[in-house]
Amino acid sequence: MSKKTPEHLRSRRWFGGGPGSTEHTSHALQAGYAREEFEGRPVIGIINTWSDMNPCHAHLRDRAEAVKRGVWQAGGFPVELPAMSLGEGYVHPSAMLYRNLVAMESEEVLRCHPIDGAILLGGCDKTTPGLLMGAISMNLPAIYCPAGFTMGATCRGERFGSGSGPFRWAPELIAGKLSMDDWRTIEQKIWSSPGTCNVMGTASTMTALAEVLGMSLTGASTVPAMDSRGHQLAAAAGRRIVQLVWDDTKPSDILSDGSIRNAARTCVALGGSTNAAIHLIALARRAGTSFTLEDFDDIGRQVPVLANVQPSGKYIMHEFADAGGLPALLTRLSGVLELDCATVTGATLGENIGNAKVGDEDVIRPMANPVATEALAVLKGNLAPNGCVIKPSAATPALMQHRGRAVVFENADDVAARIHGADLDVDANSVLVLRNVGPLGGPGMAENGMLPIPKKLVEQGIRDVVRISDARMSGTSFGTCVLHVSPESWIGGPLALVRDGDEIELDVPARSLKLCVAEDELERRRQAWQAPPPHFQRGWGLLFSQHVNQAHQGCDFDFLASRAPTPEPPIHGKL
């Protein structure tokens, strides 16, 4: 039996009848709707991140229409509301600079309008956590609908994954072994249709985690963007969200410590993006759970990589989907998952995957035959007191224990100016260090962490060296990259104290990252360090700089991570 009646709908404060609601009612009538189409019906806000500047979301206008169809079918009243799109390829200095803006925008656009429930349309990297963060804080019934991934391609006889493919071939271009004509062919293949990256990058990782968290319909995260099932699932979400409103099922009824842990287990089993270490912590803090970076590491030690998908594995997302997709992978994890967690389907996670089957044993591996033993490791030491992360499944095994001398770059501009210079003092044992690219230093913590291999090393056939930074890297990237060093160098973290020639010791099995310099020398450098001038004097950048947390805390704003209640807007009629 439903918990709500039309009299209890949140939107009734706007459409309640009488002089106090005349203005709201008149505007709905102005839009061409009859009273019986909106009065007494759940108003469903469709938060759409479509944009001409985000081709990954080019199809979300049509997807929104499918949602509307479902809402109408279930007796709701759908309204579409735009949100900032954050197309990863165009937004600079970093889409991460604006994730919290999408979260704020989503929360407030739901709060200030007569909305009873929400459908969240996203996909490209930061849109998923941003939309979910806003929905969690607003705490209205909500379902996340992913955009799906772009079409597959091959290049020179190889599976060609978005991001992973060009990263694979870029050193050949740098070394002069690939022509510009060949490179233009590669550019055409990276994204050959609307949809997100077709490997286990940040987009596919975060849409999968949304599903495991219980915020998406079953199987939604492994449907290609151009597959008709995307529209079918969108319509189903439209129907389902109306029932969630009547049942008053909110994110706070879905999310729990268990669902967050399930998401972390799934992330490492997928060989998921290291960016999830930031986003999942931010989501957990919004949901009021106690999940930390150390918890992620504990799970990373226990759960191996089962998805044989690039960049950790061999295949691309279409083959993962054909092998059964996320529901099938979750059956492999059933022994470690908390299957009684609630979901927006109305069933538990265990019930949702009850009929799932693995269709290809090489694409979705059993626990006894994993792709790799670890997808994420959290390191600490005098170079990262609050932690940093590395993705062992996408790194070079021989470099998991390594000691080498530092080659330091002050910022991303310094990398661009010097990395391929013939006079760069670097060899295969060097440790490339990039600083001032964290949340504040970047600004916005761009994906600079996969530093290019210097041309002089590429020409020697070297394709990986240890790289350390307070930046992120694309989830489609690979290599021995230590990321998210916290505290960041911009605020005087130890990375700011490294000098060319210093010895750095990386020991992933021991979870250690050490700057091999005497403590008294480090203290002298610490005393001599001077804080850089701020990047911003006004606007969003200033707000970001004043309130963003460090990477190990999820890079949310300090005042948004709070669970303090926000009052509903007062509504007073003008008549």
Side-chain angles (χ1 to χ4, degrees), residues 344-387:
V344 294
T345 68
T348 65
L349 179 65
E351 291 167 338
N352 285 344
I353 64 173
N355 295 322
K357 292 182 175 62
V358 174
D360 189 318
E361 296 281 333
D362 191 43
V363 178
I364 301 176
R365 300 281 188 88
M367 294 283 272
N369 182 32
V371 177
T373 56
E374 288 185 312
L376 186 135
V378 176
L379 317 176
K380 288 191 175 182
N382 68 345
L383 198 49
N386 294 333

mmCIF file of all heavy atoms in Angstrom, residues 344-387:
data_model
loop_
_atom_site.group_PDB
_atom_site.id
_atom_site.type_symbol
_atom_site.label_atom_id
_atom_site.label_comp_id
_atom_site.label_asym_id
_atom_site.label_seq_id
_atom_site.Cartn_x
_atom_site.Cartn_y
_atom_site.Cartn_z
ATOM 1 N N VAL A 344 16.412 0.682 -6.001
ATOM 2 C CA VAL A 344 15.237 1.403 -6.502
ATOM 3 C C VAL A 344 14.254 0.489 -7.216
ATOM 4 O O VAL A 344 13.112 0.886 -7.484
ATOM 5 C CB VAL A 344 15.638 2.556 -7.451
ATOM 6 C CG1 VAL A 344 16.403 3.635 -6.704
ATOM 7 C CG2 VAL A 344 16.441 2.034 -8.645
ATOM 8 N N THR A 345 14.647 -0.736 -7.513
ATOM 9 C CA THR A 345 13.706 -1.667 -8.156
ATOM 10 C C THR A 345 12.633 -2.139 -7.185
ATOM 11 O O THR A 345 11.617 -2.701 -7.602
ATOM 12 C CB THR A 345 14.437 -2.902 -8.707
ATOM 13 O OG1 THR A 345 14.934 -3.688 -7.613
ATOM 14 C CG2 THR A 345 15.578 -2.501 -9.630
ATOM 15 N N GLY A 346 12.868 -1.976 -5.893
ATOM 16 C CA GLY A 346 11.978 -2.511 -4.878
ATOM 17 C C GLY A 346 12.417 -3.873 -4.390
ATOM 18 O O GLY A 346 11.908 -4.380 -3.395
ATOM 19 N N ALA A 347 13.362 -4.489 -5.095
ATOM 20 C CA ALA A 347 13.942 -5.759 -4.688
ATOM 21 C C ALA A 347 15.333 -5.514 -4.113
ATOM 22 O O ALA A 347 15.903 -4.429 -4.251
ATOM 23 C CB ALA A 347 14.018 -6.713 -5.882
ATOM 24 N N THR A 348 15.889 -6.528 -3.460
ATOM 25 C CA THR A 348 17.251 -6.410 -2.956
ATOM 26 C C THR A 348 18.246 -6.611 -4.087
ATOM 27 O O THR A 348 17.903 -7.089 -5.176
ATOM 28 C CB THR A 348 17.533 -7.460 -1.871
ATOM 29 O OG1 THR A 348 17.469 -8.768 -2.463
ATOM 30 C CG2 THR A 348 16.520 -7.357 -0.732
ATOM 31 N N LEU A 349 19.502 -6.279 -3.811
ATOM 32 C CA LEU A 349 20.558 -6.490 -4.803
ATOM 33 C C LEU A 349 20.625 -7.965 -5.178
ATOM 34 O O LEU A 349 20.744 -8.314 -6.363
ATOM 35 C CB LEU A 349 21.898 -6.012 -4.256
ATOM 36 C CG LEU A 349 23.111 -6.189 -5.178
ATOM 37 C CD1 LEU A 349 22.974 -5.340 -6.432
ATOM 38 C CD2 LEU A 349 24.403 -5.843 -4.445
ATOM 39 N N GLY A 350 20.542 -8.843 -4.195
ATOM 40 C CA GLY A 350 20.594 -10.272 -4.483
ATOM 41 C C GLY A 350 19.455 -10.734 -5.362
ATOM 42 O O GLY A 350 19.646 -11.546 -6.278
ATOM 43 N N GLU A 351 18.264 -10.225 -5.106
ATOM 44 C CA GLU A 351 17.114 -10.587 -5.935
ATOM 45 C C GLU A 351 17.269 -10.063 -7.357
ATOM 46 O O GLU A 351 16.875 -10.726 -8.329
ATOM 47 C CB GLU A 351 15.838 -10.052 -5.296
ATOM 48 C CG GLU A 351 15.466 -10.769 -4.001
ATOM 49 C CD GLU A 351 14.388 -10.054 -3.212
ATOM 50 O OE1 GLU A 351 14.205 -8.825 -3.402
ATOM 51 O OE2 GLU A 351 13.733 -10.717 -2.386
ATOM 52 N N ASN A 352 17.863 -8.870 -7.503
ATOM 53 C CA ASN A 352 18.042 -8.293 -8.836
ATOM 54 C C ASN A 352 18.932 -9.138 -9.731
ATOM 55 O O ASN A 352 18.756 -9.168 -10.952
ATOM 56 C CB ASN A 352 18.647 -6.888 -8.721
ATOM 57 C CG ASN A 352 17.646 -5.851 -8.250
ATOM 58 O OD1 ASN A 352 16.438 -6.074 -8.282
ATOM 59 N ND2 ASN A 352 18.151 -4.713 -7.808
ATOM 60 N N ILE A 353 19.914 -9.806 -9.152
ATOM 61 C CA ILE A 353 20.870 -10.560 -9.968
ATOM 62 C C ILE A 353 20.576 -12.062 -9.945
ATOM 63 O O ILE A 353 21.375 -12.865 -10.437
ATOM 64 C CB ILE A 353 22.323 -10.301 -9.515
ATOM 65 C CG1 ILE A 353 22.555 -10.812 -8.085
ATOM 66 C CG2 ILE A 353 22.651 -8.822 -9.628
ATOM 67 C CD1 ILE A 353 24.018 -10.746 -7.640
ATOM 68 N N GLY A 354 19.429 -12.444 -9.423
ATOM 69 C CA GLY A 354 19.111 -13.858 -9.243
ATOM 70 C C GLY A 354 19.121 -14.665 -10.521
ATOM 71 O O GLY A 354 19.454 -15.860 -10.506
ATOM 72 N N ASN A 355 18.765 -14.057 -11.643
ATOM 73 C CA ASN A 355 18.692 -14.790 -12.919
ATOM 74 C C ASN A 355 19.870 -14.497 -13.842
ATOM 75 O O ASN A 355 19.885 -14.969 -14.991
ATOM 76 C CB ASN A 355 17.389 -14.454 -13.644
ATOM 77 C CG ASN A 355 16.169 -14.937 -12.881
ATOM 78 O OD1 ASN A 355 16.190 -16.016 -12.287
ATOM 79 N ND2 ASN A 355 15.110 -14.136 -12.878
ATOM 80 N N ALA A 356 20.844 -13.728 -13.371
ATOM 81 C CA ALA A 356 21.977 -13.354 -14.227
ATOM 82 C C ALA A 356 22.908 -14.543 -14.440
ATOM 83 O O ALA A 356 23.098 -15.372 -13.547
ATOM 84 C CB ALA A 356 22.738 -12.180 -13.616
ATOM 85 N N LYS A 357 23.494 -14.607 -15.636
ATOM 86 C CA LYS A 357 24.421 -15.684 -15.970
ATOM 87 C C LYS A 357 25.621 -15.114 -16.734
ATOM 88 O O LYS A 357 25.482 -14.147 -17.493
ATOM 89 C CB LYS A 357 23.735 -16.748 -16.845
ATOM 90 C CG LYS A 357 22.662 -17.546 -16.137
ATOM 91 C CD LYS A 357 22.090 -18.607 -17.071
ATOM 92 C CE LYS A 357 21.101 -19.512 -16.341
ATOM 93 N NZ LYS A 357 19.938 -18.763 -15.839
ATOM 94 N N VAL A 358 26.762 -15.711 -16.514
ATOM 95 C CA VAL A 358 27.976 -15.324 -17.236
ATOM 96 C C VAL A 358 27.983 -16.037 -18.586
ATOM 97 O O VAL A 358 27.888 -17.269 -18.654
ATOM 98 C CB VAL A 358 29.237 -15.694 -16.432
ATOM 99 C CG1 VAL A 358 30.498 -15.422 -17.265
ATOM 100 C CG2 VAL A 358 29.279 -14.909 -15.125
ATOM 101 N N GLY A 359 28.109 -15.260 -19.656
ATOM 102 C CA GLY A 359 28.078 -15.830 -20.996
ATOM 103 C C GLY A 359 29.436 -16.092 -21.603
ATOM 104 O O GLY A 359 29.530 -16.747 -22.648
ATOM 105 N N ASP A 360 30.502 -15.581 -20.988
ATOM 106 C CA ASP A 360 31.855 -15.802 -21.517
ATOM 107 C C ASP A 360 32.819 -15.817 -20.333
ATOM 108 O O ASP A 360 33.027 -14.789 -19.671
ATOM 109 C CB ASP A 360 32.227 -14.703 -22.510
ATOM 110 C CG ASP A 360 33.530 -14.992 -23.251
ATOM 111 O OD1 ASP A 360 34.489 -15.452 -22.603
ATOM 112 O OD2 ASP A 360 33.591 -14.743 -24.475
ATOM 113 N N GLU A 361 33.420 -16.964 -20.085
ATOM 114 C CA GLU A 361 34.270 -17.149 -18.909
ATOM 115 C C GLU A 361 35.588 -16.384 -18.997
ATOM 116 O O GLU A 361 36.254 -16.193 -17.980
ATOM 117 C CB GLU A 361 34.572 -18.643 -18.730
ATOM 118 C CG GLU A 361 33.353 -19.492 -18.425
ATOM 119 C CD GLU A 361 32.936 -19.403 -16.962
ATOM 120 O OE1 GLU A 361 33.803 -19.137 -16.120
ATOM 121 O OE2 GLU A 361 31.739 -19.606 -16.683
ATOM 122 N N ASP A 362 35.973 -15.960 -20.191
ATOM 123 C CA ASP A 362 37.206 -15.189 -20.302
ATOM 124 C C ASP A 362 36.965 -13.704 -20.083
ATOM 125 O O ASP A 362 37.832 -12.997 -19.571
ATOM 126 C CB ASP A 362 37.856 -15.409 -21.679
ATOM 127 C CG ASP A 362 39.265 -14.838 -21.742
ATOM 128 O OD1 ASP A 362 40.026 -15.033 -20.772
ATOM 129 O OD2 ASP A 362 39.605 -14.189 -22.742
ATOM 130 N N VAL A 363 35.786 -13.222 -20.460
ATOM 131 C CA VAL A 363 35.474 -11.806 -20.273
ATOM 132 C C VAL A 363 35.143 -11.518 -18.812
ATOM 133 O O VAL A 363 35.589 -10.512 -18.251
ATOM 134 C CB VAL A 363 34.290 -11.396 -21.178
ATOM 135 C CG1 VAL A 363 33.930 -9.931 -20.952
ATOM 136 C CG2 VAL A 363 34.642 -11.622 -22.640
ATOM 137 N N ILE A 364 34.356 -12.380 -18.192
ATOM 138 C CA ILE A 364 34.015 -12.245 -16.774
ATOM 139 C C ILE A 364 34.565 -13.468 -16.065
ATOM 140 O O ILE A 364 33.997 -14.554 -16.131
ATOM 141 C CB ILE A 364 32.493 -12.111 -16.564
ATOM 142 C CG1 ILE A 364 31.957 -10.888 -17.324
ATOM 143 C CG2 ILE A 364 32.178 -11.992 -15.076
ATOM 144 C CD1 ILE A 364 30.457 -10.721 -17.248
ATOM 145 N N ARG A 365 35.679 -13.289 -15.406
ATOM 146 C CA ARG A 365 36.428 -14.404 -14.840
ATOM 147 C C ARG A 365 35.832 -14.876 -13.506
ATOM 148 O O ARG A 365 35.239 -14.083 -12.767
ATOM 149 C CB ARG A 365 37.870 -13.989 -14.605
ATOM 150 C CG ARG A 365 38.625 -13.556 -15.849
ATOM 151 C CD ARG A 365 39.094 -14.724 -16.673
ATOM 152 N NE ARG A 365 39.969 -14.309 -17.765
ATOM 153 C CZ ARG A 365 41.295 -14.179 -17.657
ATOM 154 N NH1 ARG A 365 41.899 -14.416 -16.505
ATOM 155 N NH2 ARG A 365 42.003 -13.803 -18.706
ATOM 156 N N PRO A 366 36.045 -16.133 -13.155
ATOM 157 C CA PRO A 366 35.706 -16.605 -11.808
ATOM 158 C C PRO A 366 36.755 -16.140 -10.803
ATOM 159 O O PRO A 366 37.873 -15.759 -11.181
ATOM 160 C CB PRO A 366 35.712 -18.127 -11.961
ATOM 161 C CG PRO A 366 36.658 -18.384 -13.090
ATOM 162 C CD PRO A 366 36.519 -17.216 -14.031
ATOM 163 N N MET A 367 36.425 -16.184 -9.533
ATOM 164 C CA MET A 367 37.345 -15.731 -8.495
ATOM 165 C C MET A 367 38.649 -16.526 -8.516
ATOM 166 O O MET A 367 39.705 -16.004 -8.162
ATOM 167 C CB MET A 367 36.681 -15.856 -7.116
ATOM 168 C CG MET A 367 35.496 -14.926 -6.900
ATOM 169 S SD MET A 367 35.988 -13.218 -6.561
ATOM 170 C CE MET A 367 36.172 -13.263 -4.780
ATOM 171 N N ALA A 368 38.574 -17.768 -8.950
ATOM 172 C CA ALA A 368 39.772 -18.617 -8.961
ATOM 173 C C ALA A 368 40.700 -18.340 -10.134
ATOM 174 O O ALA A 368 41.831 -18.832 -10.159
ATOM 175 C CB ALA A 368 39.351 -20.091 -8.976
ATOM 176 N N ASN A 369 40.257 -17.556 -11.093
ATOM 177 C CA ASN A 369 41.066 -17.256 -12.273
ATOM 178 C C ASN A 369 40.959 -15.776 -12.622
ATOM 179 O O ASN A 369 40.471 -15.403 -13.685
ATOM 180 C CB ASN A 369 40.615 -18.119 -13.457
ATOM 181 C CG ASN A 369 41.454 -17.878 -14.717
ATOM 182 O OD1 ASN A 369 42.645 -17.572 -14.630
ATOM 183 N ND2 ASN A 369 40.821 -17.985 -15.874
ATOM 184 N N PRO A 370 41.416 -14.894 -11.736
ATOM 185 C CA PRO A 370 41.232 -13.458 -11.963
ATOM 186 C C PRO A 370 42.155 -12.911 -13.047
ATOM 187 O O PRO A 370 43.152 -13.531 -13.417
ATOM 188 C CB PRO A 370 41.587 -12.844 -10.597
ATOM 189 C CG PRO A 370 42.582 -13.797 -10.020
ATOM 190 C CD PRO A 370 42.129 -15.160 -10.473
ATOM 191 N N VAL A 371 41.787 -11.728 -13.527
ATOM 192 C CA VAL A 371 42.634 -10.999 -14.477
ATOM 193 C C VAL A 371 43.881 -10.486 -13.761
ATOM 194 O O VAL A 371 44.987 -10.501 -14.302
ATOM 195 C CB VAL A 371 41.851 -9.814 -15.090
ATOM 196 C CG1 VAL A 371 42.735 -9.000 -16.026
ATOM 197 C CG2 VAL A 371 40.609 -10.317 -15.806
ATOM 198 N N ALA A 372 43.690 -10.024 -12.546
ATOM 199 C CA ALA A 372 44.777 -9.505 -11.711
ATOM 200 C C ALA A 372 44.345 -9.626 -10.260
ATOM 201 O O ALA A 372 43.153 -9.755 -9.961
ATOM 202 C CB ALA A 372 45.096 -8.054 -12.068
ATOM 203 N N THR A 373 45.311 -9.565 -9.370
ATOM 204 C CA THR A 373 44.969 -9.724 -7.953
ATOM 205 C C THR A 373 44.537 -8.426 -7.295
ATOM 206 O O THR A 373 43.816 -8.460 -6.307
ATOM 207 C CB THR A 373 46.166 -10.298 -7.179
ATOM 208 O OG1 THR A 373 47.308 -9.443 -7.377
ATOM 209 C CG2 THR A 373 46.497 -11.699 -7.661
ATOM 210 N N GLU A 374 44.959 -7.277 -7.848
ATOM 211 C CA GLU A 374 44.633 -5.996 -7.209
ATOM 212 C C GLU A 374 44.352 -4.927 -8.254
ATOM 213 O O GLU A 374 45.105 -4.783 -9.215
ATOM 214 C CB GLU A 374 45.788 -5.509 -6.328
ATOM 215 C CG GLU A 374 45.983 -6.301 -5.054
ATOM 216 C CD GLU A 374 47.060 -5.672 -4.181
ATOM 217 O OE1 GLU A 374 48.141 -5.355 -4.702
ATOM 218 O OE2 GLU A 374 46.808 -5.495 -2.982
ATOM 219 N N ALA A 375 43.284 -4.176 -8.037
ATOM 220 C CA ALA A 375 42.958 -3.058 -8.925
ATOM 221 C C ALA A 375 43.226 -1.715 -8.282
ATOM 222 O O ALA A 375 43.317 -0.701 -8.977
ATOM 223 C CB ALA A 375 41.490 -3.121 -9.342
ATOM 224 N N LEU A 376 43.307 -1.672 -6.965
ATOM 225 C CA LEU A 376 43.540 -0.405 -6.291
ATOM 226 C C LEU A 376 44.298 -0.647 -5.000
ATOM 227 O O LEU A 376 43.937 -1.544 -4.230
ATOM 228 C CB LEU A 376 42.226 0.330 -6.001
ATOM 229 C CG LEU A 376 42.405 1.740 -5.418
ATOM 230 C CD1 LEU A 376 41.471 2.728 -6.099
ATOM 231 C CD2 LEU A 376 42.140 1.746 -3.912
ATOM 232 N N ALA A 377 45.353 0.125 -4.803
ATOM 233 C CA ALA A 377 46.116 0.055 -3.561
ATOM 234 C C ALA A 377 46.299 1.462 -3.028
ATOM 235 O O ALA A 377 46.535 2.411 -3.792
ATOM 236 C CB ALA A 377 47.474 -0.598 -3.805
ATOM 237 N N VAL A 378 46.169 1.607 -1.728
ATOM 238 C CA VAL A 378 46.357 2.896 -1.059
ATOM 239 C C VAL A 378 47.716 2.864 -0.376
ATOM 240 O O VAL A 378 47.996 1.970 0.434
ATOM 241 C CB VAL A 378 45.246 3.160 -0.035
ATOM 242 C CG1 VAL A 378 45.517 4.465 0.724
ATOM 243 C CG2 VAL A 378 43.894 3.222 -0.733
ATOM 244 N N LEU A 379 48.554 3.811 -0.729
ATOM 245 C CA LEU A 379 49.908 3.895 -0.181
ATOM 246 C C LEU A 379 49.998 5.056 0.792
ATOM 247 O O LEU A 379 49.311 6.076 0.637
ATOM 248 C CB LEU A 379 50.931 4.107 -1.299
ATOM 249 C CG LEU A 379 50.773 3.274 -2.571
ATOM 250 C CD1 LEU A 379 51.825 3.690 -3.589
ATOM 251 C CD2 LEU A 379 50.856 1.794 -2.263
ATOM 252 N N LYS A 380 50.846 4.899 1.788
ATOM 253 C CA LYS A 380 51.142 5.996 2.704
ATOM 254 C C LYS A 380 52.639 6.039 2.966
ATOM 255 O O LYS A 380 53.373 5.119 2.616
ATOM 256 C CB LYS A 380 50.363 5.830 4.008
ATOM 257 C CG LYS A 380 48.870 6.088 3.865
ATOM 258 C CD LYS A 380 48.172 6.176 5.216
ATOM 259 C CE LYS A 380 46.716 6.556 5.048
ATOM 260 N NZ LYS A 380 46.017 6.695 6.352
ATOM 261 N N GLY A 381 53.075 7.116 3.575
ATOM 262 C CA GLY A 381 54.483 7.294 3.877
ATOM 263 C C GLY A 381 54.772 8.769 4.040
ATOM 264 O O GLY A 381 53.857 9.608 4.015
ATOM 265 N N ASN A 382 56.048 9.102 4.170
ATOM 266 C CA ASN A 382 56.361 10.509 4.412
ATOM 267 C C ASN A 382 56.108 11.387 3.194
ATOM 268 O O ASN A 382 56.100 12.615 3.297
ATOM 269 C CB ASN A 382 57.805 10.668 4.893
ATOM 270 C CG ASN A 382 58.835 10.335 3.832
ATOM 271 O OD1 ASN A 382 58.518 9.723 2.801
ATOM 272 N ND2 ASN A 382 60.087 10.718 4.073
ATOM 273 N N LEU A 383 55.851 10.778 2.028
ATOM 274 C CA LEU A 383 55.514 11.561 0.845
ATOM 275 C C LEU A 383 54.007 11.717 0.677
ATOM 276 O O LEU A 383 53.542 12.600 -0.055
ATOM 277 C CB LEU A 383 56.110 10.902 -0.404
ATOM 278 C CG LEU A 383 56.258 11.743 -1.673
ATOM 279 C CD1 LEU A 383 56.925 13.089 -1.391
ATOM 280 C CD2 LEU A 383 57.031 10.973 -2.724
ATOM 281 N N ALA A 384 53.227 10.892 1.354
ATOM 282 C CA ALA A 384 51.755 10.948 1.269
ATOM 283 C C ALA A 384 51.158 10.560 2.619
ATOM 284 O O ALA A 384 50.592 9.471 2.767
ATOM 285 C CB ALA A 384 51.244 10.030 0.168
ATOM 286 N N PRO A 385 51.273 11.420 3.624
ATOM 287 C CA PRO A 385 50.790 11.070 4.974
ATOM 288 C C PRO A 385 49.313 10.701 5.023
ATOM 289 O O PRO A 385 48.907 9.844 5.814
ATOM 290 C CB PRO A 385 51.069 12.341 5.782
ATOM 291 C CG PRO A 385 52.148 13.050 5.042
ATOM 292 C CD PRO A 385 51.920 12.745 3.591
ATOM 293 N N ASN A 386 48.495 11.341 4.177
ATOM 294 C CA ASN A 386 47.062 11.049 4.173
ATOM 295 C C ASN A 386 46.661 10.037 3.109
ATOM 296 O O ASN A 386 45.477 9.727 2.964
ATOM 297 C CB ASN A 386 46.254 12.329 3.980
ATOM 298 C CG ASN A 386 46.392 13.269 5.151
ATOM 299 O OD1 ASN A 386 46.641 12.846 6.275
ATOM 300 N ND2 ASN A 386 46.254 14.565 4.901
ATOM 301 N N GLY A 387 47.641 9.570 2.356
ATOM 302 C CA GLY A 387 47.367 8.528 1.387
ATOM 303 C C GLY A 387 47.467 8.978 -0.052
ATOM 304 O O GLY A 387 47.406 10.170 -0.381
#
